[in-house]
Amino acid sequence: MANKTAPDSSRRSERSRRAIFDAALALVGEVGYDKLTIEGIASRAGVGKQTIYRWWPSKAAVLLDAFTADADTYRGALPDTGDVAADLKAVLRATVDEFNDPAFQAPYRALAVAGASDEELSRTFVARLLEPGIDVYTDRLRVAREAGELAAGTDVRLGAEMLLSPFSQRWLMRTGELTYAFVDALVDQVLHGLRPRG
Amino acid sequence: MANKTAPDSSRRSERSRRAIFDAALALVGEVGYDKLTIEGIASRAGVGKQTIYRWWPSKAAVLLDAFTADADTYRGALPDTGDVAADLKAVLRATVDEFNDPAFQAPYRALAVAGASDEELSRTFVARLLEPGIDVYTDRLRVAREAGELAAGTDVRLGAEMLLSPFSQRWLMRTGELTYAFVDALVDQVLHGLRPRG
């Protein structure tokens, strides 16, 4: 009996969890972080709001879990073909496609805006999403440094920021287009400075 | 009579203008862009709201003029001592001090947050503040390229973004400290890649 009930209940929970994440991401993109409510998420997901409160203490917690549930599928897995320039271009081109997709970027923008204005929320946002995002690039540059593709003294964390920040800034502040040509030039110009000399 | 009245009236206008700018910058830092109102600015500045409406069509227009009134005092004047690294470090260290000053950064953050969430506002924000800010760095790198301090093929606009975006991202998203050591390392690592080889 326990054997039968547990998987059903677990499948049901997983379905609810996914519905709640989808509802939270869709809603925050539509109404913004300030107007997002647990009630709104529950209604869109077709669950009772007690279901949400049982699992998460706040709308911020729901959203951050929703983002990382997706993010975990690629986290820690920047490609390593032995050609760091090619690998970075491939990943950043895929990221260009994502951030030019209104459905993908709207919830992310809503969370970034909320994080920029709310210092408390930003601590969690940075720790859960931004810092791990910088880390995978830092790690890839470290592997390249160890393989001799980059100079021995390269500050790989700073290198990761030089790659990611111009991208993020263009997207968030709308100071420029996100194109393949832009990320290719960015990767080339950043890596050019980090290559071994002589 | 006209000679006497005109300067008085012009001085009075200039005093009102300055009071309105100061009130707008202080208020937006306190309440955020969404809750900023023309009435609130007028009340804080000690002027009638008709005075504000006579000169500006919207709160966004007041704010952008308030920012550029200050910004115009240093715009277009990045130092040129012939040593591009020293000049960039000097300016970015001064910018570190500004952005670590709560009074300075609060209104700027409020405007950046509003620009990030409001595409219409961001067009003006970018054209009036962000793009001119990138331009002065681009111009300084161009001078360095012409002087042979940077390689002939250097993409100076991209170089400016590699300098400014990591700074802006750390500040806006709170992904890292803004310190002299950070901007010194950033300038060195960016310029290292742009120097002539051989």
Side-chain angles (χ1 to χ4, degrees):
Chain A
M1 191 70 181
N3 271 349
K4 186 165 183 302
T5 308
D8 275 6
S9 154
S10 149
R11 261 200 304 275
R12 215 166 35 237
S13 288
E14 185 46 40
R15 262 202 314 273
S16 296
R17 222 173 95 93
R18 192 63 251 176
I20 290 162
F21 288 165
D22 289 344
L25 292 173
L27 261 183
V28 76
E30 288 167 21
V31 304
Y33 182 79
D34 289 346
K35 293 188 183 135
L36 183 73
T37 61
I38 295 282
E39 288 73 11
I41 298 171
S43 163
R44 168 83 72 120
V47 304
K49 65 181 181 177
Q50 284 315 315
T51 303
I52 298 182
Y53 282 121
R54 195 183 323 136
W55 291 332
W56 294 279
S58 66
K59 66 182 181 180
V62 179
L63 259 191
L64 286 163
D65 275 356
F67 273 105
T68 49
D70 286 343
D72 285 346
T73 60
Y74 67 82
R75 262 309 133 59
L78 226 57
D80 178 6
T81 67
D83 178 344
V84 66
D87 292 346
L88 291 174
K89 286 176 190 175
V91 174
L92 285 169
R93 282 172 168 226
T95 313
V96 164
D97 291 339
E98 282 181 341
F99 281 81
N100 283 329
D101 172 357
F104 175 90
Q105 69 96 40
Y108 201 76
R109 179 179 297 277
L111 195 58
V113 166
S117 68
D118 177 341
E119 190 163 355
E120 176 64 30
L121 175 66
S122 88
R123 272 193 285 272
T124 317
F125 182 49
V126 168
R128 292 281 304 278
L129 273 175
L130 297 185
E131 201 59 44
I134 299 171
D135 283 349
V136 293
Y137 283 82
T138 305
D139 291 346
R140 182 64 190 85
L141 292 178
R142 187 177 296 111
V143 168
R145 189 179 62 189
E146 278 157 19
E149 279 200 282
L150 304 182
T154 299
D155 181 337
V156 288
R157 157 77 194 211
L158 192 56
E161 289 185 61
M162 285 161 60
L163 285 168
L164 291 174
S165 298
F167 185 107
S168 303
Q169 202 52 19
R170 277 192 175 208
W171 168 67
L172 189 58
M173 305 312 299
R174 302 184 185 86
T175 44
E177 295 291 307
L178 294 180
T179 63
Y180 290 177
F182 162 65
V183 295
D184 286 358
L186 181 64
V187 168
D188 286 336
Q189 189 146 318
V190 169
L191 292 184
H192 181 67
L194 308 183
R195 301 282 189 197
R197 303 283 163 124
Chain B
M1 190 70 182
N3 271 348
K4 186 167 184 299
T5 309
D8 276 5
S9 153
S10 151
R11 261 200 304 276
R12 217 166 32 239
S13 289
E14 185 45 39
R15 263 201 313 275
S16 296
R17 223 173 94 93
R18 192 63 251 175
I20 290 162
F21 288 166
D22 289 344
L25 292 173
L27 261 182
V28 77
E30 288 166 21
V31 305
Y33 182 79
D34 289 346
K35 293 186 183 136
L36 183 72
T37 61
I38 295 282
E39 288 73 10
I41 298 170
S43 162
R44 168 83 72 121
V47 304
K49 66 180 182 178
Q50 285 316 314
T51 303
I52 299 182
Y53 282 121
R54 196 183 324 138
W55 291 332
W56 294 280
S58 66
K59 65 181 183 181
V62 179
L63 259 191
L64 287 163
D65 276 355
F67 273 105
T68 49
D70 285 343
D72 285 346
T73 61
Y74 68 81
R75 262 307 133 59
L78 226 58
D80 179 6
T81 65
D83 178 344
V84 66
D87 292 346
L88 292 173
K89 285 176 190 175
V91 173
L92 285 170
R93 281 172 169 227
T95 313
V96 164
D97 291 339
E98 282 180 342
F99 280 82
N100 282 330
D101 172 357
F104 176 90
Q105 68 96 41
Y108 201 78
R109 178 178 298 277
L111 195 59
V113 165
S117 68
D118 177 342
E119 190 163 355
E120 176 65 30
L121 174 66
S122 88
R123 272 193 285 273
T124 317
F125 182 49
V126 168
R128 292 281 305 278
L129 272 174
L130 297 184
E131 201 59 44
I134 299 170
D135 283 348
V136 294
Y137 283 81
T138 306
D139 290 345
R140 183 64 190 84
L141 293 178
R142 187 177 295 110
V143 168
R145 189 179 63 191
E146 278 157 19
E149 280 201 282
L150 304 181
T154 298
D155 181 337
V156 287
R157 157 76 194 210
L158 192 57
E161 289 186 61
M162 284 161 60
L163 284 170
L164 291 174
S165 298
F167 185 106
S168 303
Q169 277 298 110
R170 277 193 174 207
W171 169 67
L172 189 59
M173 305 313 298
R174 303 185 185 86
T175 44
E177 296 290 308
L178 294 181
T179 63
Y180 290 177
F182 162 64
V183 294
D184 287 357
L186 181 63
V187 168
D188 286 336
Q189 189 146 316
V190 169
L191 292 184
H192 181 68
L194 308 183
R195 302 280 188 197
R197 301 284 164 126

